[in-house]
Amino acid sequence: MSKYCIGVDLGGTNIKFALFDKGMQSAGALEAPTPGAQGPDGVIAAIVAGCDRLIRQEKLAKSDIVGVGIGSPGPLDIANGIVLDMPNIGGFKNVHLRDRVGAGLGLPAALDNDANVAGYGEYLCGGGKGARVMVFLTLGTGIGSGIVIDGHVFRGAHGIGAELGHMIVEPGGELCGCGQQGCMEHYSSAHYLAQYARRAVEESNRKGLLKGVLEKAGKITARDVAEARAQGDELACVVWDRAIHYLAVGCVNIARIFDPERIVLGGGMAKAGKDLIEPVRQEFQRLHWNLTDPRTELFLATLGNDAGVVGAAGVAWDELGPK
Ligand SMILES: [Zn+2]
């Protein structure tokens, strides 16, 4: 009889649950709304209930389940399974999420942050599959990242080791909410790219597609910039290429530190597909040192919103499964 781990991806709106065997074959999934207004007690009860429902739905018993992996927004104290804070859901201050879910289910549990588990999902089943060393960047509101080395998530000495969005790519540059200046996410995340596009349109007297978008919709998104760029809009090219440049700077630094086989790019910006990956590959080649040929390859993520639930189950197998 096969054994399974449950992956749980805790988001601000929904909680995803999925069962995976050791070979990471999916054996069922479900989704439930996050009862954010009910605070930690309600959210923990919803996680426990969702896991129980999934086990019943697939006609399994508790004894078929090795453990539960939870991917959660943070900051977290990963070693102790604690959510230190959660910007999207109120009341999560120093909540022992791992142990409370584990106790509620009567099963071992593991906790990791949402970007680490998404990276692990892409490593196991997505754009990083087959790589021994892989770095994942998710380009959304900010830039989240996950680092996988020799099959394990790398977390650093204090559990905060994979915060590549806060790698400084422009010393003395834009002030980041983290207190540093010139963090990569301030240049290359979907959110900050859109913010910069708006600034650039407002400061420019030129007519262009983005000016039209701003006048009509009252805002500019990263997707608007990508689409205007594809149509040759001059300002959109400048804005997009600036984000690409700093992303490539970050990728060269990642290559120098980790020498990964793959850097995988996901999140909202990755929906631009070849309009993202092709220029960033070119800029990466241009900025790369000449001591060796570039061997790190850049790829798009392939799992989309499923990366978290896949990786959460993977982390459970890695931490709780037979060694
Ligand atoms: Zn920062």
Side-chain angles (χ1 to χ4, degrees):
M1 183 79 188
S2 294
K3 296 270 188 183
Y4 302 91
C5 278
I6 301 177
V8 177
D9 180 12
L10 173 58
T13 312
N14 288 305
I15 312 172
K16 290 181 161 202
F17 305 82
L19 280 161
F20 288 89
D21 68 12
K22 184 87 176 82
M24 294 310 290
Q25 293 297 312
S26 172
L30 61 84
E31 203 168 325
T34 307
Q38 295 170 30
D41 291 349
V43 171
I44 288 165
I47 293 174
V48 171
C51 290
D52 273 331
R53 189 146 64 85
L54 181 58
I55 294 167
R56 281 200 310 277
Q57 174 184 300
E58 302 306 325
K59 301 188 170 43
L60 295 169
K62 281 267 171 74
S63 56
D64 298 319
I65 310 299
V66 172
V68 181
I70 308 158
S72 168
L76 312 177
D77 171 353
I78 294 172
N80 293 304
I82 298 170
V83 178
L84 300 174
D85 200 356
M86 204 179 286
N88 293 336
I89 307 174
F92 267 88
K93 292 255 187 243
N94 300 315
V95 173
H96 289 251
L97 184 64
R98 181 192 68 194
D99 291 350
R100 287 183 62 185
V101 169
L105 280 167
L107 287 168
L111 177 71
D112 208 330
N113 80 50
D114 44 11
N116 281 358
V117 299
Y120 202 50
E122 288 289 341
Y123 162 80
L124 290 169
C125 304
K129 192 171 178 180
R132 199 164 58 81
V133 179
M134 185 215 76
V135 174
F136 171 68
L137 299 174
T138 172
L139 313 169
T141 309
I143 296 184
S145 58
I147 299 163
V148 181
I149 298 175
D150 293 336
H152 303 288
V153 175
F154 173 81
R155 304 182 176 98
H158 313 99
I160 50 170
E163 291 292 347
L164 298 174
H166 297 278
M167 174 167 35
I168 295 173
V169 292
E170 180 65 62
E174 309 251 355
L175 181 63
C176 181
C178 77
Q180 295 178 174
Q181 279 181 277
C183 294
M184 180 165 66
E185 73 172 31
H186 255 269
Y187 296 86
S188 304
S189 73
H191 172 76
Y192 286 105
L193 170 107
Q195 204 176 73
Y196 181 71
R198 185 181 185 125
R199 216 161 75 201
V201 167
E202 285 169 351
E203 284 170 6
S204 158
N205 330 320
R206 281 179 294 186
K207 278 242 170 276
L209 291 174
L210 292 180
K211 200 179 180 80
V213 169
L214 183 60
E215 281 168 4
K216 198 170 162 207
K219 62 174 185 170
I220 299 173
T221 65
R223 172 174 287 203
D224 296 328
V225 178
E227 284 171 4
R229 177 184 175 276
Q231 293 176 56
D233 182 81
E234 214 176 306
L235 193 59
C237 289
V238 171
V239 170
W240 189 259
D241 291 348
R242 175 180 181 268
I244 294 290
H245 167 72
Y246 286 109
L247 182 57
V249 170
C251 288
V252 169
N253 291 336
I254 290 167
R256 291 290 73 77
I257 300 165
F258 296 104
D259 180 27
E261 282 130 311
R262 291 188 176 198
I263 299 172
V264 176
L265 305 176
M269 293 264 291
K271 291 190 183 130
K274 68 175 178 37
D275 291 332
L276 174 74
I277 199 72
E278 287 177 2
V280 78
R281 279 176 179 156
Q282 275 175 18
E283 186 69 348
F284 177 76
Q285 296 259 353
R286 192 179 75 81
L287 299 173
H288 194 272
W289 75 7
N290 57 15
L291 299 181
T292 57
D293 288 335
R295 296 183 66 185
T296 295
E297 294 186 287
L298 275 58
F299 281 91
L300 291 168
T302 62
L303 297 182
N305 292 334
D306 290 335
V309 83
V310 174
V315 165
W317 273 115
D318 189 40
E319 292 199 8
L320 310 170
K323 294 289 179 272

